[in-house]
Amino acid sequence: MSRDSTNREPLSPREQLAGQLAESVAGALSADLEHQPRALLVVSGGSTPLAFFDRLAAFELPWERIDVTLADERWVAESDKDSNARLVREHLLQGPAAAATFHPLTTGDGTPEQGAASVAERVMRLSWPASVVILGMGGDGHTASLFPDSGELSLALTTDEATVAVRAPSVAQPRITLSASRLHQARRHVLHIAGDDKRAVLAHAMAGDDARELPIRAFLACPLAIYWAP
Ligand SMILES: O=C1O[C@H](COP(=O)(O)O)[C@@H](O)[C@H](O)[C@H]1O
C-alpha cells in the first residue's frame, strides 16, 4: 500500500492504478488539445472504471473542449442502475470535468435496433480520431458490447458503421456498441482491468487470434496499453 498526495489514505493497488491511468489520460487530452480545437475521450462502463473516473474528474483540463462518449451501453434509461451513462455522469462529469460535453449512446426509441442509426450519426459528428479509447474486458473476453455469444458479433467486428445493436444470451439487456472499426479510430488505446481472473483471460487472448472466440483480440494490436492491478 502507498499513500496518496495528502499522505492520509492508504491506496489499494487498484486505486493506485486508477490514479496512474487518470494521469496518463489527462496528459494525452492535454497534449492533443495543444494542436486541435476539441478532443474526444471514449470510456467504458462496468465496475472497473469508477475509481479512474473519480480521479480523472479532478484534473484541471480545458474540459469545455472535451467530448466524452461510451464504448457501449445497455439499452436502459439513464436512471437505471445498469446505465453506463449514469456512471459517467455520477463519477466523471463532476468537479472540473462537469464542463465536458457527454454524448450518450441511447435515444428515446424502444430498442437499440430502432435507435442505432441516429446514435451512429451522433457519434460520427465527434472529433475522431479519439484521443484515447479506454476498453474494459469481461471474464468471457468481451470488450465494449462485443460478446462471444452474440449473433451480431461478426457484424460488429467487420462493419464500417459506427454502431451496432447487440443482443446476447449472456446479458440481460439489449445493448448498443461502437463497432470495432470505430473503436479502432483513436490515437491511443488502453485496456483497464483488475484481478487474476482477467489477467488469465488476457493471457489466453494473447496466445491466439480468433476475435470471435475472445473479442478483446480485435484490439491487441492497436497497440493496446494494459493497465492491470490484482
Ligand atoms: O458489460 C460490460 O462489462 C465490461 C467489463 O465490466 P466490469 O464490471 O468487469 O469492469 C465493460 O468493459 C463494458 O463496457 C460493459 O458494458
Side-chain angles (χ1 to χ4, degrees), residues 7 11 13 25-26 35 52 61 79 98-99 103 108 157 171 180 182 207-209:
N7 205 29
L11 294 178
V25 170
H35 57 80
F52 157 68
L61 294 170
S79 56
H103 304 269
L157 289 170
V171 290
R182 184 54 49 174
D209 59 10

Side-chain angles (χ1 to χ4, degrees), residues 157-192:
L157 289 170
T158 55
T159 184
D160 290 333
E161 299 294 326
T163 64
V164 178
V166 169
R167 292 172 191 258
S170 57
V171 290
Q173 300 104 345
R175 299 199 177 202
I176 186 163
T177 189
L178 298 193
S179 62
S181 67
R182 184 54 49 174
L183 288 166
H184 281 142
Q185 293 185 32
R187 298 187 199 285
R188 306 163 192 86
H189 289 86
V190 171
L191 176 63
H192 182 197

Side-chain angles (χ1 to χ4, degrees), residues 44-49 71-74 84 135-138 142-145 147 175 198:
S44 290
S47 55
T48 308
D72 69 312
E73 179 63 286
R74 285 98 168 166
N84 286 337
L135 297 170
M137 184 184 73
H142 86 263
T143 190
S145 280
F147 289 95
R175 299 199 177 202
K198 289 194 180 178

Side-chain angles (χ1 to χ4, degrees), residues 69-105:
T69 194
L70 283 157
D72 69 312
E73 179 63 286
R74 285 98 168 166
W75 202 260
V76 296
E78 271 198 28
S79 56
D80 194 287
K81 65 174 176 43
D82 291 328
S83 164
N84 286 337
R86 184 181 61 76
L87 299 180
V88 168
R89 291 193 193 281
E90 291 180 359
H91 290 269
L92 180 54
L93 304 179
Q94 298 290 327
T101 304
F102 177 54
H103 304 269
L105 298 185

